[in-house]
Each structure stands twice: as C-alpha cells, then as structure tokens.
Amino acid sequence: MNTNDNTNDTNEMEEEGRPPRDPRNGLYTFLSVLIFVTVSIAYKLISSRITLVYALFEPSPSDQLRTAVYDQMEMPDLPEDVSLMYIRLHRNFDKDRMYVAFELPYDTDEEDFSQRFIPYQCGNTVEDQRFAVYPDATANAHYVYGNMYVSVDDPFTSCLIYEEDGRKYAVYSSNDYDHGITTLFDTEKIRL
C-alpha cells in the first residue's frame, strides 16, 4: 500500500508539475516574517544608539569642561569682556576638530588680539576668505567671511576672527586634543 501512495504522489507531481504542498508553509512564512521584523527593529534601535559620525555642542559648558578644553587648547587668560559662546566637538567628521567660540567686544583690534591671545605662532594670515562655522546644535554649517590665523607647527590648529551682525567673534579650532574629553559633555549627540 505504501508503494501505491508513493506512486500516486509521483503521478500527482508529474501531472501538476510541482511537488505537493507542505502543510507547514504558513508556519514557515510567519516565522520568516517575524525574524525579519525582529532583526529590522533591533538594527534600528542599535544603530540609533551607536553613532559613529556625530558632533557634541555645549553652549554653556561646566567649569570642568571649560578648564579641560582651555588646557587642551593652551588658551591664555582672555580679557573679562570676552565671553565664551560654545564648545563644539566633531567625531569622525571634519578631522575630529574641536571648536571653541568667543564673542569679542566690537572695538577689539584684531591684530592686537591675534598677537596677544592666540597661543601659537601664526604663519601668513588667510584674509577675507569664506569659512564654515557651526554656531548652533545642528549639523548645518554657517558660512562667514573672516581672517584665519593658522599655526606654523600644525596646519589643523587655527583661529578664525570674523564679524557678523555688528559683533566680532573668534573661533579657535584644533584636532590635537585628548579624545577622552567627550565624556565631559552633558549634551546629546548631533548625528551628522
């Protein structure tokens, strides 16, 4: 009898041109879809937590962060009328640069300021060029015209001085710093 059943199945397969339907196909389909959905959700959750390219932006840094950044950048004692605007740090973007921006009094003499408060020897000044700055907690660059004072020892260390909306700003930047400083930021990562 068993032989006849096999013969009937073979005949059915030859007549229809396909193997007989497995009653568990619905279960296999359901499990496949469930695995796909689970893996997709897990991937999205993990990738949102682990961001390889990001920025940190701190408009009001703690004293500990401020001291650590000033030490890293070898900042001199700035005049009292110079106010810190923000500290920004890029990771795996823009050569891992750290930006420290200050608002200067409008009557600040740029040449005097550059000689007294830039903590490195500068080469030729890049004058009246267009530069990108990141003055807020977004990934969008803002372009300004200003003068760039670049270190003769490290071309990735510089100070940009520019005017905008009746105010003067100085933005120090460098990629030579201790990357452990990221733990001192209290802000969320800005995904780039």
Side-chain angles (χ1 to χ4, degrees):
M1 289 222 153
N2 194 359
T3 311
N4 288 340
D5 288 339
N6 286 342
T7 306
N8 288 341
D9 287 343
T10 306
N11 289 339
E12 284 179 17
M13 204 167 72
E14 289 174 1
E15 289 174 8
E16 295 177 16
R18 60 184 179 94
R21 185 178 179 285
D22 185 353
R24 292 176 285 191
N25 274 350
L27 177 62
Y28 296 149
T29 303
F30 174 75
L31 290 176
S32 297
V33 170
L34 182 64
I35 290 170
F36 174 76
V37 168
T38 304
V39 168
S40 295
I41 291 171
Y43 173 76
K44 288 180 182 178
L45 288 174
I46 291 171
S47 66
S48 69
R49 302 243 187 260
I50 300 173
T51 308
L52 298 178
V53 180
Y54 65 90
L56 295 170
F57 182 85
E58 185 62 70
S60 26
S62 66
D63 289 338
Q64 186 180 13
L65 176 60
R66 184 185 310 226
T67 301
V69 167
Y70 286 5
D71 288 345
Q72 292 290 316
M73 305 275 299
E74 299 176 1
M75 298 289 297
D77 291 331
L78 295 167
E80 289 182 15
D81 52 355
V82 172
S83 60
L84 176 66
M85 292 179 48
Y86 64 85
I87 298 172
R88 184 178 177 106
L89 184 72
H90 290 173
R91 295 294 290 148
N92 299 320
F93 166 71
D94 192 25
K95 306 241 185 271
D96 288 352
R97 296 181 75 77
M98 179 168 43
Y99 295 92
V100 184
F102 296 94
E103 183 176 347
L104 309 175
Y106 190 75
D107 61 348
T108 301
D109 179 67
E110 185 175 321
E111 190 171 322
D112 179 53
F113 181 85
S114 65
Q115 290 174 359
R116 293 176 49 207
F117 300 108
I118 295 180
Y120 48 81
Q121 184 181 357
C122 302
N124 293 335
T125 305
V126 180
E127 294 182 347
D128 200 30
Q129 293 289 319
R130 185 175 184 229
F131 298 100
V133 293
Y134 300 89
D136 52 28
T138 66
N140 303 328
H142 178 68
Y143 294 94
V144 296
Y145 285 90
N147 300 330
M148 179 75 74
Y149 298 86
V150 181
S151 169
V152 294
D153 298 323
D154 180 6
F156 296 111
T157 298
S158 61
C159 178
L160 168 65
I161 298 177
Y162 68 96
E163 291 181 31
E164 186 175 60
D165 299 330
R167 296 179 174 167
K168 275 192 178 176
Y169 302 97
V171 180
Y172 293 85
S173 65
S174 178
N175 65 352
D176 183 24
Y177 61 91
D178 177 17
H179 293 288
I181 208 164
T182 58
T183 59
L184 300 176
F185 282 81
D186 291 331
T187 57
E188 293 290 319
K189 293 178 182 176
I190 303 165
R191 298 177 79 186
L192 304 176

